[in-house]
Every structure is written in structure tokens, then in C-alpha cells.
Amino acid sequence: MESQPLLSAPSKFPSWTLFLAVCSVGIGGTFQYGYNVSIINAPTQHIHKFLNETWASRYHVELNPNLLTFLWSVIASIFSLGGLCGALIGGSMAIQLGRKGALLMNNIIAILAAILMGISFPTGLFELLIVGRFLIGINSGVGLCVQPLYLGEVAPKHLRGGMAMGSSIFLTGGILTGQIVGLRELLGAEAYWPLLLSSSCVPAFAQLLFLPWFPESPRYLLIDRGDELSCAKALKRLHGSSQYQREMEDIQRECFALDGEKPKKPWQLFTDRAVRWQLVTVVVMTMGQQLSGINADLHSWVPYVSMMSVFAFILSFGLGPGGITNTLTAEIFVQSSRPAACMIGGAVSWISFFTIGMLFPFIVKGLKQYCFVVFLLECSAVAAFIFLVIPETKNKSFLEIKKEFHKLNFGRRSKEKETELNERSQLHNEY
């Protein structure tokens, strides 16, 4: 019997290539989302004035206050509709173009949106502002769908949790940057609000500049494309020559277990018993995050005195539970189901985001100072679900996590499924 070479223990720290790849992906993902959620608040009064003046110049009558409110609501909320559309196409883009290719193509949408929003004022066409906000919403929806795919697939299992926090840092960093850039002393003045809205092209250009230098997702290269050589090269760059073999073997085991299974469509997951509780987890966790009260602060206006307190709340949320949801979606599904699961999670996220924006003013009107009691009850219910249902994923491979969910999905039949999977793994190892 041949002796197997001893693999060195996994490094506690990521390689610089992996760290910079995460930063590059985050710029066009959660940072772009947080930035565009934040910057729309500062120019509210300036956009109202622009709408009034444009309407009067075009139709020679004053704009009705109710119509003004409607137009502003469309401009603000069309971002969520675009995000929903982006989430629905993000998974397909990640399959057809690859994770890296989808992110690069997504920046073209952001640049087009920035151009349209920037020229809306000089052309006197507020319709371009609506179209631009819709397109930047699509960009954010695609980014939030594809980013966790890339991060979940390139991260070694002992670093997935830390990299999840990286996504949250970029999100809160985007919100903070948008708040700062939107100050009256910078681009929040009346003369500069078109530049403020079009500044979303800066993260897009940054990602177009840096992301091409980093490799595609190794799991995508081997499992979806069958390109073992490119997968090995990508792993060497991301994890180093001394550590890549361990990750390569893990990907090969997952590839063998899938046995050539093609990527699934979102509607196929709803009829697949093998992912029933994974899908329930994604829906509950995503709704729990969006309806936790965090977005109520994003939708409501606060005076400068309390601005830092609100941002501290958002930052603590982002560095705590806020970053877990997207990474959990990537962790609890195997390669064939992961893009579709991210599409479903993204759709639920954007629908919940839109819903809380519509309902929160009525909740405040009805409950007044007790309005956040609703979110307290919701958070308690989600916490109970997490405690009772979700297994621990720390330092586990995707196949090991899949085995944990078999106990929920198949009950007594889970032992048969595990036995079958173990037999296939043993055959693969012997081969």
C-alpha cells in the first residue's frame, strides 16, 4: 500500500491574491448596492425642484403635488424593481458567463445607468433619471446575486465566515461613502446632484480595472466547464502552491458526487425534496434580514444629530448577522443548485426590501414610538428558526453540509442517502 503524502495544515490567513480578489469583487457588489441606496437621500429636494421646473417648462402648467409625490416615489422605488430583475437574471449570467464574467459584464450596466442619470438634468428629461435608477438597480441585483457565488466558491472552508464579514464591510462602507459624498459641502449641493447620482460609475470602473487580474471561480471551472487545468492554475493563484491540492481534492469530490448534474433552474428547486429545507432556510433568513428593521432606517429620514447613531446601528448589523445570509446561501447548496438558490434568495430580498419601504410609514403612523416592536417579534421568530433548524457549517465542506440537511429533507431515508454518497466517495477515492 502506497503511503499518501502529508498535506500541510491550512493557513489561517488568505493569500494576498485571494484577499485582493475579494476586495475587487466587493467593490462592484455590496459596496455598489450600499452606495446607491445611500446617495438618493441627499438630493431629494433638488430632484423635486428639477421635476417641478421640467414639468412647467414642458407643459406650461405647475406640477400637481400629488403627481410630484408619485414621480419621486417612482424614482426612489424603481431601484428595488431593478434589483429584483437583476436577481432573476444574475444566476443565469453566472452560469453562461462565469462568476467573474458576469461581474465584469454587470459593470457595463452601471456605467450606462450613470450616464443616463448624469445627462437627465442638462437634457431636461426626468425619464432618463427613472431609467437610470432602474438600470443601477439591475446592477445591484446582479452584483448581490453573483458576489456570494464567487466568494463562497473561492474561499477555503475555514475562511468562509471571515470572508462573509468582508461583504458586510463593503456594504456599510458603501453606505458611509454615499452619506459623505452626499454632504452639501461635496456633491450634495444643488449644482452637483447629477454628478452625485452618476458617481456610481466609479466603483464600476474600479472593478473593470482590477477584477480581470484575478482568476475565475475554480469550482466553476472544474464542475461547470470541466477544465481541470484552469482550475488548478486558479487554485494555485488563490491559495498558493503549497495549499491548492487540498482544495482541488475537495472540488473533485463534489464534482464526482454531482456526476455531471447540470445547473438547475429556480423553479426546479421548489420540487426537489433534496433541497427542501435549504430552500426554506434561504427564504426565512433572507426575509428575516430584510424585515429586521435595518431597512426601516434606510427608508426613513433622520436629522444630522442622530445620523451617526443610525450609522453605528447599520455598521453593527453589517459586522454581525447581516453578512451571514448571502454566504449561507452559497454554503448550503452544492454547485448545481447554488446559482438558482442565489436567484431565489435575491428575489425574496428585493421583494422584502420594497415591501418594508411601502409599509413602514403606515407602521410608524399606527404604532408610533412602538413601531420597532414588530421587528423585535420578527427577529425573535427567525432566531428560533436558526436555533432549531440550521446546522453548523463552520469548517465543513459543501458535501458535509449537504449530509446534515439530508436528515431534515429525508428523515429516515437520510441514512440510505448518506450510505449511497459514502459508497460513491469510496469508489472515487479508489479510482
Side-chain angles (χ1 to χ4, degrees), residues 326-343:
N326 287 339
T327 302
L328 184 65
T329 303
E331 280 189 319
I332 63 179
F333 289 90
V334 292
Q335 190 79 7
S336 58
S337 303
R338 196 173 294 126
C342 285
M343 292 169 68

Side-chain angles (χ1 to χ4, degrees), residues 90-91 94-95 99 145-154 160 217 219-220 223-224 250 254 258 262-266 269 275 282 326-346 397-399 401:
I95 294 171
R99 285 44 166 161
C145 179
V146 181
Q147 179 181 346
L149 281 177
Y150 186 90
L151 296 184
E153 292 174 8
V154 303
R160 285 195 207 115
S217 160
R219 272 188 160 78
Y220 173 79
I223 300 176
D224 292 322
D250 184 49
E254 184 178 350
L258 290 174
K262 299 296 182 182
K264 295 181 179 180
K265 305 297 183 182
L269 296 188
V275 296
V282 168
N326 287 339
T327 302
L328 184 65
T329 303
E331 280 189 319
I332 63 179
F333 289 90
V334 292
Q335 190 79 7
S336 58
S337 303
R338 196 173 294 126
C342 285
M343 292 169 68
I344 294 173
S397 68
F398 294 128
L399 291 180
I401 296 171

Side-chain angles (χ1 to χ4, degrees), residues 15-306:
S15 69
W16 279 107
T17 302
L18 180 59
F19 174 77
L20 293 175
V22 171
C23 293
S24 181
V25 170
I27 289 173
T30 50
F31 181 91
Q32 185 78 286
Y33 166 73
Y35 186 77
N36 284 286
V37 165
S38 180
I39 61 173
I40 194 62
N41 293 321
T44 300
Q45 298 303 321
H46 306 320
I47 295 176
H48 282 187
K49 183 179 179 181
F50 167 61
L51 292 172
N52 280 317
E53 292 177 350
T54 301
W55 193 272
S57 175
R58 186 183 299 180
Y59 301 108
H60 306 291
V61 293
E62 291 186 1
L63 181 59
N64 184 281
N66 292 330
L67 183 56
L68 173 63
T69 302
F70 172 76
L71 289 175
W72 168 248
S73 299
V74 170
I75 292 171
S77 61
I78 200 73
F79 176 77
S80 299
L81 180 59
L84 175 60
C85 295
L88 294 176
I89 66 173
S92 299
M93 290 177 63
I95 294 171
Q96 298 298 324
L97 304 175
R99 285 44 166 161
K100 175 182 169 181
L103 290 169
L104 290 174
M105 183 62 67
N106 192 36
N107 291 305
I108 306 301
I109 301 175
I111 293 171
L112 178 59
I115 293 173
L116 293 178
M117 290 187 290
I119 65 175
S120 61
F121 179 74
T123 59
L125 297 173
F126 62 81
E127 293 87 354
L128 296 181
L129 192 56
I130 297 174
V131 176
R133 284 289 292 176
F134 177 74
L135 289 177
I136 201 63
I138 292 178
N139 169 267
S140 297
V142 172
L144 290 180
C145 179
V146 181
Q147 179 181 346
L149 281 177
Y150 186 90
L151 296 184
E153 292 174 8
V154 303
K157 57 187 178 183
H158 66 286
L159 290 177
R160 285 195 207 115
M163 292 176 68
M165 293 302 98
S167 298
S168 297
I169 291 172
F170 278 104
L171 172 60
T172 51
I175 294 174
L176 176 61
T177 304
Q179 294 284 353
I180 294 174
V181 175
L183 293 174
R184 287 191 297 268
E185 293 77 9
L186 297 176
L187 296 182
E190 182 177 356
Y192 302 125
W193 70 263
L195 291 177
L196 175 63
L197 296 184
S198 62
S199 63
S200 57
C201 68
V202 176
F205 278 120
Q207 190 174 75
L208 282 174
L209 178 63
F210 295 113
L211 187 57
W213 296 96
F214 301 103
E216 177 61 88
S217 160
R219 272 188 160 78
Y220 173 79
L221 291 172
L222 180 58
I223 300 176
D224 292 322
R225 291 285 181 86
D227 191 344
E228 188 168 350
L229 180 60
S230 296
C231 174
K233 289 181 178 179
L235 285 173
K236 287 180 180 179
R237 288 193 60 196
L238 291 168
H239 302 292
S241 300
S242 61
Q243 302 292 337
Y244 89 97
Q245 188 61 41
R246 185 186 302 274
E247 297 297 323
M248 187 73 177
E249 292 175 357
D250 184 49
I251 298 174
Q252 288 174 331
R253 282 193 293 269
E254 184 178 350
C255 183
F256 184 79
L258 290 174
D259 194 24
E261 184 178 354
K262 299 296 182 182
K264 295 181 179 180
K265 305 297 183 182
W267 54 85
Q268 292 177 313
L269 296 188
F270 289 101
T271 58
D272 187 354
R273 185 175 179 180
V275 296
R276 177 181 299 174
W277 278 100
Q278 291 97 310
L279 197 59
V280 171
T281 298
V282 168
V283 173
V284 171
M285 289 290 291
T286 303
M287 291 183 64
Q289 178 185 8
Q290 294 291 358
L291 303 180
S292 64
I294 185 67
N295 285 321
D297 284 312
L298 295 178
H299 280 285
S300 59
W301 169 253
V302 289
Y304 284 110
V305 176
S306 59

